[in-house]
Amino acid sequence: MLLSTIVFLPIIFAFVVLVWPQAKTIRHIAFILSLLEFLISLIVLNKFDSGTAQLQLVEKQMWIERFGIQYFLGIDGISLWLVLLTTFLTPIIILASWNSIDKKLKGFHVAMFVLQSAMLGTFLAMDAVFFYVFWELSLIPMYFMIGIWGGSRRIYATIKFFIFTMAGSVLMLIAIIYLMYLTQQSSGQMSASLLEFYKVRIPFVGGSILNLQSLLFFAFALAFAIKVPVWPVHTWLPDAHVEAPTPGSVILAGVMLKMGTYGFLRWVIPLFPDAAEYWAWVFLVLGVIGIIYGALVAMVQPDIKKLVAYSSVSHMGYIIVGLFVFNEYGITGGLYQMLNHGVSTGALFLLIGMIYERTHSREISKYGGLAGVLPIFTIFFFIITLSSIAVPMTNGFIGEFLILLGLHQAKPIYAYFAVSGVVFGASYMLWMFKRVFFGEKGELVKDIHHPLKDLSLREISILTPLVILVFWMGLFPNQFLDYSKASVKHLVTNKNRYYLQIEDIKSGNLKQIENK
C-alpha cells in the first residue's frame, strides 16, 4: 500500500484543506501535510533495492476486466528520483507561496495537492489507461493555477498551454487504444498493462514513416515532446512561465516538464525500439537546435523570468539528446539532468519570485547594484547561477558532462554543436548576473521610498535545502546514480527486447513472482 499512499494521500490532503475551518492556518496545515508526504516518500527510498532493474513495491489489481485495465503501480530506478523530486519540491513551493499567493488560499492548496497526486501517479502508473488518467489530470490544476493566480495575460497563457498539451494527448490516447488492440491480437486477451505492451512485437519498415511502429512512435513522441518541450513545439512554455505565479513556475519547471522526458524513457524508447533508433536523428537534431536556440533567445530577453524560461528550453534539449544516444552515459546523464533542472531552475524561479515580491518588476535594466543592498540574496543567486551553468562540483556539471560524453561516444558531430550551449549558457547567465547585481544602482535599487530588504529567515529556509542539493549532487553523484544504475543498464542492454518483471520484497529478500 506504500505507493498507493504516496499517490493518493495528497488527494486526501486536498480534501482536508478544503474543509479546514480556519482560513488563517491553511498555509501551516498545507505545509505540514506536504512535509508528511515527503517523509513517507523517504520510506520508499529506504525500501528501494538499487541492485535490481525490475519493478518493486508493486500494487496490482484488476480494474476493468473486460478491457484488461488494471490498478497497477510500481517503481524502479527510472522513476524513483522523480517521485522524490516531486515530494521534495512540494513543501518548498508551499512555503514559497506564503507571500506570493494572497487570494483563494484554499483553492490554491487544493490545486497544489491534486497536481502533486497527478504527477506522482504519472511516474508510478504501469497501466496505460491509468497513466493517461494521471497525465490528463495534471493539466487541470495547472490550468487553474495559471488562470487564477497568474499575471495579466494569464488567460492567453492558459489557453495556449491547454491546447498544446491536449493536442499531443489525443494522439497518445489513440496509440494506447491501438496497443491494447495489439495485445489482444498477440495474446488473445486485451490488456493496458505496460508490461504486456513491452511483449508486443510491432512491425517496422525503415525508409518510411507509414509503418505501424513509426506511426505509434510519433503519436507518443509528439505528446511527450510538447510536454518537455522540444523545439519547435516549445512556444507555450515561456508564456506559461511568465504568467504563472512563482509556485506555478517552480512546479512547472521542477517536475511537470520531466513528465515528458520520463515518457520518452519509460514508453517511447522501450516500446518502439526500431523506430526510436531509426528516427533518433530527428530528436538529436531538434534537441541540439533547442539547446542553441533556447540559449540565444535567452540572451536577448529583457525579463529575468523569460530568460530563465528560455534557458529551460536549452537545458531540456540536453536531456533529449542524452536519451536518444541509447548508451549508459547519455541516458544516465539525461536522467540526472532531469533532477538537476528541477533543483536549479526551480531555485531560480523562487529567487526571481522573491525579488519580484519586493519590486514588482522583472526587467533586468531596472536593476543593478543589488549585491550591495541584498548580500544574502546575491550569494544564493550566485550559487544557483553556477549550478545552472554547470560549473564543476555543482549538480549541473555531472548531468551535462555525462550527456556530452555519451553523445560524443555515439554521435560526435552532434556533440560539437551541443557543447556550444555550455558556452552560450554561461554567457547569458553571467551577463544577466552582472547587470542585475553589479554596476551602477538601477532605479528599483536606489528607490529611497521603497528600500529593499534582504532575505527573511523563511526565505533562507526555502533556499537552503536546494543549495545543499546543488553541492551534494555535484560532489557525491554516485549516491544518487547508484539507485538508477541497474535500470539504465537493463534498458541499454535490452533495448531491442525490453522487458520488466515484478519483484516482491519479503523478509529482506527479493522473490520474483510471475508477471500476470
Side-chain angles (χ1 to χ4, degrees):
M1 287 298 290
L2 189 55
L3 296 188
S4 293
T5 305
I6 289 283
V7 172
F8 292 104
L9 203 54
I11 296 285
I12 297 172
F13 293 164
F15 182 74
V16 171
V17 168
L18 193 63
V19 300
W20 192 256
Q22 297 169 304
K24 289 183 179 178
T25 54
I26 287 289
R27 289 189 176 100
H28 301 83
I29 292 300
F31 176 64
I32 291 168
L33 293 176
S34 63
L35 269 184
L36 177 63
E37 173 80 355
F38 175 60
L39 293 175
I40 294 172
S41 70
L42 291 180
I43 298 174
V44 174
L45 181 64
N46 185 49
K47 284 182 174 291
F48 189 83
D49 180 1
S50 59
T52 177
Q54 307 307 330
L55 284 179
Q56 302 175 46
L57 304 171
V58 168
E59 295 164 29
K60 193 177 179 188
Q61 186 68 42
M62 188 56 74
W63 182 17
I64 306 174
E65 190 166 4
R66 182 179 176 188
F67 300 108
I69 300 171
Q70 305 170 53
Y71 176 88
F72 189 1
L73 297 174
I75 192 167
D76 67 355
I78 291 174
S79 50
L80 175 72
W81 285 117
L82 294 171
V83 170
L84 268 292
L85 178 68
T86 308
T87 59
F88 170 75
L89 283 179
T90 304
I92 289 176
I93 291 168
I94 290 176
L95 201 57
S97 70
W98 230 257
N99 290 339
S100 60
I101 303 297
D102 56 3
K103 64 177 182 180
K104 296 182 173 60
L105 287 182
K106 280 192 177 184
F108 171 78
H109 290 101
V110 167
M112 192 67 230
F113 282 127
V114 172
L115 180 58
Q116 186 186 28
S117 180
M119 292 185 300
L120 290 168
T122 303
F123 294 136
L124 294 173
M126 290 294 141
D127 179 280
V129 174
F130 207 39
F131 169 83
Y132 188 79
V133 169
F134 284 119
W135 177 274
E136 290 299 289
L137 178 63
S138 68
L139 300 182
I140 298 169
M142 180 50 75
Y143 175 88
F144 286 116
M145 205 172 281
I146 301 173
I148 296 175
W149 294 277
S152 57
R153 295 176 70 245
R154 60 186 179 276
I155 303 302
Y156 168 76
T158 48
I159 291 172
K160 196 173 180 181
F161 162 74
F162 207 77
I163 289 174
F164 266 75
T165 46
M166 277 299 291
S169 300
V170 169
L171 289 176
M172 182 168 67
L173 178 62
I174 294 169
I176 286 173
I177 293 170
Y178 198 84
L179 280 168
M180 291 171 67
Y181 166 74
L182 289 179
T183 60
Q184 188 175 34
Q185 276 197 327
S186 64
S187 66
Q189 174 66 49
M190 183 176 282
S191 174
S193 166
L194 179 59
L195 274 56
E196 294 301 319
F197 283 5
Y198 287 151
K199 294 176 184 175
V200 177
R201 298 295 158 231
I202 305 169
F204 173 76
V205 179
S208 168
I209 195 173
L210 298 177
N211 63 85
L212 186 56
Q213 193 174 138
S214 291
L215 289 173
L216 291 171
F217 166 82
F218 278 109
F220 273 93
L222 181 61
F224 298 140
I226 290 172
K227 184 74 85 179
V228 171
V230 175
W231 184 90
V233 289
H234 68 284
T235 59
W236 64 270
L237 183 70
D239 291 315
H241 268 313
V242 170
E243 298 306 320
T246 299
S249 294
V250 178
I251 200 69
L252 184 61
V255 183
M256 277 197 82
L257 304 188
K258 314 307 176 303
M259 288 166 58
T261 45
Y262 169 79
F264 277 108
L265 207 48
R266 173 70 74 201
W267 296 81
V268 173
I269 293 173
L271 271 177
F272 316 110
D274 301 317
E277 193 160 355
Y278 186 81
W279 296 109
W281 67 270
V282 174
F283 289 89
L284 291 173
V285 169
L286 294 181
V288 170
I289 291 175
I291 291 169
I292 298 172
Y293 167 84
L296 291 176
V297 178
M299 209 173 281
V300 296
Q301 293 305 312
D303 182 315
I304 309 176
K305 200 172 186 185
K306 211 161 186 176
L307 182 151
V308 176
Y310 276 104
S311 80
S312 281
V313 176
S314 183
H315 287 141
M316 296 305 286
Y318 278 109
I319 299 174
I320 289 296
V321 297
L323 301 186
F324 274 91
V325 296
F326 309 125
N327 57 37
E328 283 189 50
Y329 289 130
I331 292 178
T332 301
L335 197 53
Y336 206 58
Q337 193 68 356
M338 293 185 207
L339 306 179
N340 294 333
H341 184 262
V343 172
S344 304
T345 309
L348 279 173
F349 280 122
L350 285 171
L351 286 159
I352 293 167
M354 288 170 186
I355 194 65
Y356 181 78
E357 286 172 15
R358 288 162 168 77
T359 63
H360 302 289
S361 175
R362 296 188 299 261
E363 285 187 52
I364 295 172
S365 60
K366 292 185 177 179
Y367 288 97
L370 261 186
V373 181
L374 306 179
I376 301 176
F377 179 80
T378 305
I379 291 169
F380 276 106
F381 208 107
F382 183 63
I383 292 171
I384 300 300
T385 299
L386 295 181
S387 160
S388 181
I389 63 177
V391 168
M393 293 193 292
T394 64
N395 56 338
F397 174 76
I398 304 296
E400 286 192 7
F401 178 76
L402 288 173
I403 288 170
L404 291 172
L405 194 61
L407 189 59
H408 188 268
Q409 189 180 63
K411 308 280 183 183
I413 187 68
Y414 292 100
Y416 301 142
F417 285 101
V419 78
S420 64
V422 176
V423 180
F424 292 141
S427 302
Y428 67 75
M429 286 301 292
L430 291 176
W431 191 36
M432 179 270 287
F433 188 81
K434 173 183 171 293
R435 285 182 290 165
V436 170
F437 290 92
F438 297 104
E440 190 178 340
K441 287 181 181 178
E443 61 182 271
L444 294 172
V445 181
K446 62 185 178 185
D447 183 357
I448 57 172
H449 300 294
H450 302 91
L452 298 177
K453 292 182 180 177
D454 213 338
L455 295 183
S456 66
L457 189 59
R458 177 182 62 83
E459 290 168 326
I460 293 172
S461 306
I462 291 167
L463 295 169
T464 300
L466 294 164
V467 168
I468 290 172
L469 264 186
V470 164
F471 291 115
W472 191 0
M473 293 176 71
L475 292 170
F476 308 102
N478 286 335
Q479 293 185 8
F480 296 85
L481 296 175
D482 284 350
Y483 283 88
S484 56
K485 187 175 181 181
S487 289
V488 172
K489 187 174 184 180
H490 179 72
L491 175 62
V492 172
T493 307
N494 302 284
K495 183 175 70 68
N496 293 321
R497 291 187 68 85
Y498 187 70
Y499 66 95
L500 275 182
Q501 291 176 305
I502 299 170
E503 296 190 357
D504 189 22
I505 300 173
K506 290 182 178 177
S507 306
N509 298 314
L510 282 174
K511 177 186 177 186
Q512 201 167 85
I513 62 175
E514 191 178 359
N515 170 29
K516 284 185 177 177

